[in-house]
Amino acid sequence: MSATEHIRSWIQEIIVKHSICPFAKREVERNTIRYQECDAESAADILEQLVLECMVLDRHPEIETTIIILTKGFADFQQYLQLVETAEDLIVEYDYEGIYQIASFHPDYCFAGEPTDDPANFTNRAPYPLLHILREGSVEKALQHYQEPESIPERNIEFARSKGNDFWLAALAQLKSRHDTK
């Protein structure tokens, strides 16, 4: 199974199935998610791909979102956070602020100030480090049609904690096992 197939499975079996992102199902069903594997290990090369992907989104309004899958680099979470910060700065530098935003996912994701073993971290843990480019206008539009959108993170935290670490570790291990055998 390719990294793209692995991430597709993760989105279906974790994000959509458990409604971590209540808007993901629609885009999965419409096939409007672009997946791009990036085997670069340098921040400069990854950031170059990020800008190129923003340009692809500019030219293709039928693509709702792009997920850049970092297949080789940035396994260290702190280095990854620095990459995300630089990516967000680049969005501003290229005049994409208000047009695109970055959502971040990492195998070792940990919310600031939270213990690493808090199950809530699994809401942003993915099989690979990811840079998810979202169209801000689409996010705003989707949120207008969702009652109490501010409750989404709270609901996710409660749900993740109710399931516990063993549940999430098993779910990700099952995905990884299928990925490794294909």
Side-chain angles (χ1 to χ4, degrees):
M1 180 186 300
S2 71
T4 296
E5 290 167 328
H6 196 176
I7 293 301
R8 283 179 192 262
S9 294
W10 169 74
I11 290 172
Q12 280 281 63
E13 297 173 35
I14 302 291
I15 303 301
V16 171
K17 180 179 178 180
H18 300 293
S19 197
I20 301 298
C21 173
F23 316 111
K25 181 178 180 180
R26 176 177 185 253
E27 302 316 322
V28 168
E29 290 173 349
R30 293 175 61 218
N31 196 29
T32 59
I33 302 171
R34 177 176 163 88
Y35 300 87
Q36 287 300 108
E37 292 184 27
C38 179
D39 62 0
E41 295 182 50
S42 78
D45 291 342
I46 293 166
L47 295 169
E48 181 179 336
Q49 183 163 356
L50 172 75
V51 171
L52 291 173
E53 288 303 319
C54 288
M55 291 176 182
V56 168
L57 289 170
D58 287 344
R59 291 189 312 273
H60 295 279
E62 72 278 7
I63 300 170
E64 187 57 45
T65 187
T66 295
I67 298 174
I68 301 173
I69 306 162
L70 307 180
T71 59
K72 293 190 178 171
F74 293 86
D76 178 83
F77 183 58
Q78 293 307 314
Q79 284 184 315
Y80 170 78
L81 288 178
Q82 290 172 351
L83 175 72
V84 171
E85 186 177 320
T86 306
E88 291 170 344
D89 291 343
L90 207 58
I91 292 289
V92 172
E93 182 181 328
Y94 277 80
D95 293 325
Y96 283 125
E97 186 175 30
I99 299 170
Y100 302 120
Q101 62 180 262
I102 307 293
S104 56
F105 299 88
H106 190 277
D108 297 323
Y109 200 96
C110 183
F111 289 104
E114 297 298 327
T116 58
D117 64 348
D118 184 341
N121 294 316
F122 282 97
T123 63
N124 283 63
R125 287 192 180 166
Y128 294 89
L130 306 176
L131 294 175
H132 184 183
I133 308 169
L134 299 159
R135 294 180 185 274
E136 279 201 23
S138 297
V139 171
E140 290 169 6
K141 185 177 176 183
L143 291 174
Q144 289 174 355
H145 300 286
Y146 193 87
Q147 285 187 343
E148 300 179 40
E150 65 280 355
S151 70
I152 295 169
E154 295 166 10
R155 176 223 164 276
N156 286 343
I157 288 168
E158 285 180 30
F159 177 74
R161 288 178 176 157
S162 75
K163 290 295 190 181
N165 282 324
D166 290 343
F167 171 85
W168 296 108
L169 290 168
L172 290 172
Q174 183 180 30
L175 283 174
K176 184 174 180 354
S177 170
R178 283 203 321 266
H179 174 332
D180 291 346
T181 59
K182 289 188 177 183

